[in-house]
Amino acid sequence: MSIEEQIILITGASGFVATQVVRLFLQRGYRVRGTVRSEQTAEKVRSIFPEYKEKLSFAIVQDIAQPGAFDEAVKGVQGIIHTASPFQFRVEDNERDLLQPAIRGTRSLLEATQHHAPQVKRVVLTSSFAAINHLRKGYWPEHTYTEADWNPDTYEEARTADGPTAYCASKTLAEKAAWEFVETEKPNFTLATICPPMIYGPVEQPVASMDRLNESAADVYRFMNGSLTEIPATGFPAWVDVRDVAEAHLRAYEAEQAAANERFFVVAGNFFYDEVCEVLRGVEGVDKAKVPVGKTQERPKVYGVSNEKVRSRLGMEFYSLEASIRDTAESLLKLEKKLKQ
Ligand code: NDP
């Protein structure tokens, strides 16, 4: 089937990452069906892509954790990109707010695909470095992470753990559930998983207020809005730009034959928050007095990250940290202005 004839289901279409994924698939010529929680959200996403009115449609999926959530949404599509998953570090209930939507959402999407969309040949799942990282090893300077690493945390541990640990487990267990499904069910589709670390870059999704930014954009915004007087330790010192993450989803989708069932660690490199602050101080419009000053000489030794597989198998190249943080900041300044109007 030609690209123009294919409908790609992109779940969580109102999200930070999904906005760039939707954009790229539309630009490439695909039709996109995005899942969103409500008609109002669909309207907001539609307004981001006025030039693609004919090619962009929506399916309402209020809660991915509900049984059969995707049964209707998958009908008639040729490919699936599953980005929807809660990404928050502060939650009330680890199971209800993180683990169940991540794991059940993934499982029910794959089941719906098998039962209601047997024509689908390719599913790409947005997993995370969270599913690779051994949190308890800390900075683990003697280790270089690759696709072969798995976060060892269990559901039982995650139920009562702190927010970041529970989030990382939710991504790990969701990705494991997807691989188990492929192994045991032998469905008609092949699976690629995309594992990015902290994702920065332009914020273009619908945002209601600056205190409701997606988690990784908020991670940069706190260095611009005066809420930090000191630079904290870099919790996850590995990053990638959101446009490269979108590109990796597209390439993995299209590499159906060459990269059938594969996991991809989509990472640009290591970074530290003092470098982020250094870039922010150079961005026009950013109030330099609000950006905390770093102690560059005290950088710790941290784990390495290997993007060898995504470079060689998907031909990926990466934005520089400087360009990515500059574009993040510029988009946040624009958003601040828009929300004040
Ligand atoms: P966002 O919060 O911006 O996007 C998450 C999307 O998932 C939103 O559209 C959200 O809808 C939807 N969603 C979450 N829970 C549910 C639910 N229970 N029912 C229906 N929809 C739901 O986060 P990101 O764009 O950053 O994250 C997208 C994906 O990328 C996630 O899988 C995340 O784990 C992964 N990721 C993100 C990284 C980052 O640094 N940003 C790093 C690595 C991986 P709504 O807004 O309406 O709740």
Side-chain angles (χ1 to χ4, degrees), residues 12-18 35 37 41 61-65 82-87 101 126-129 167 171 195-200 205 214-216:
S14 59
F16 164 65
V17 171
T35 74
R37 289 185 194 257
T41 308
V61 175
Q62 270 174 7
D63 184 0
I64 57 175
H82 182 42
T83 83
S85 203
F87 181 14
T126 315
S127 184
S128 175
F129 177 51
Y167 166 73
K171 297 302 291 178
C195 300
M198 292 301 288
I199 308 176
Y200 301 128
Q205 76 275 18
N214 62 287
E215 198 70 47
S216 57

Side-chain angles (χ1 to χ4, degrees), residues 46-326:
R46 208 175 269 127
S47 71
I48 302 173
F49 303 105
E51 68 277 38
Y52 292 111
K53 269 201 191 100
E54 306 298 311
K55 294 202 156 218
L56 179 59
S57 63
F58 294 91
I60 307 296
V61 175
Q62 270 174 7
D63 184 0
I64 57 175
Q66 293 308 309
F70 293 104
D71 287 1
E72 287 304 312
V74 297
K75 288 181 182 164
V77 305
Q78 278 69 46
I80 296 179
I81 314 295
H82 182 42
T83 83
S85 203
F87 181 14
Q88 295 154 39
F89 289 148
R90 278 171 303 275
V91 295
E92 281 174 10
D93 180 331
N94 289 351
E95 282 194 277
R96 185 198 61 200
D97 302 332
L98 289 170
L99 295 159
Q100 290 177 0
I103 301 165
R104 288 188 188 164
T106 301
R107 215 177 265 143
S108 77
L109 176 64
L110 300 183
E111 282 164 6
T113 308
Q114 190 180 26
H115 295 123
H116 303 288
Q119 73 282 0
V120 168
K121 291 270 170 13
R122 186 70 162 160
V123 175
V124 180
L125 169 72
T126 315
S127 184
S128 175
F129 177 51
I132 289 180
N133 193 3
H134 289 233
L135 288 180
R136 269 164 292 165
K137 298 268 192 189
Y139 284 150
W140 204 8
E142 60 278 20
H143 187 67
T144 295
Y145 281 109
T146 70
E147 287 81 357
D149 290 290
W150 276 95
N151 174 348
D153 287 355
T154 64
Y155 192 97
E156 267 324 291
E157 288 164 333
R159 262 178 359 109
T160 51
D162 60 86
T165 305
Y167 166 73
C168 290
S170 79
K171 297 302 291 178
T172 308
L173 299 167
E175 192 190 341
K176 281 189 173 162
W179 286 121
E180 266 165 38
F181 185 92
V182 169
E183 180 79 21
T184 55
E185 298 295 321
K186 313 233 173 328
N188 287 349
F189 57 82
T190 57
L191 177 72
T193 63
I194 303 294
C195 300
M198 292 301 288
I199 308 176
Y200 301 128
V203 175
E204 292 173 359
Q205 76 275 18
V207 176
S209 63
M210 294 309 283
D211 56 9
R212 304 210 25 211
L213 285 169
N214 62 287
E215 198 70 47
S216 57
D219 192 50
V220 174
Y221 189 55
R222 68 195 173 131
F223 293 108
M224 298 166 60
N225 68 1
S227 59
L228 290 177
T229 48
E230 281 183 13
I231 300 182
T234 312
F236 296 92
W239 78 282
V240 66
D241 188 276
V242 67
R243 292 158 292 190
D244 290 330
V245 173
E247 185 69 42
H249 281 79
L250 177 68
R251 290 186 188 206
Y253 177 76
E254 294 188 339
E256 177 200 330
Q257 309 276 327
N261 287 317
E262 294 284 351
R263 191 178 201 215
F264 294 106
F265 184 18
V266 180
V267 55
N270 291 112
F271 82 108
F272 293 94
Y273 285 144
D274 65 87
E275 295 173 271
V276 170
C277 293
E278 191 57 40
V279 177
L280 289 176
R281 272 188 285 276
V283 177
E284 204 185 318
V286 170
D287 181 350
K288 290 179 189 54
K290 288 186 176 166
V291 182
V293 178
K295 302 176 193 151
T296 316
Q297 69 279 16
E298 288 181 17
R299 274 186 201 158
K301 285 201 167 38
V302 299
Y303 45 74
V305 285
S306 170
N307 56 21
E308 211 256 278
K309 181 172 174 183
V310 286
R311 282 182 183 276
S312 63
R313 298 286 291 277
L314 299 180
M316 290 292 302
E317 286 179 20
F318 294 93
Y319 275 82
S320 67
L321 182 70
E322 191 188 354
S324 185
I325 296 299
R326 189 193 56 228

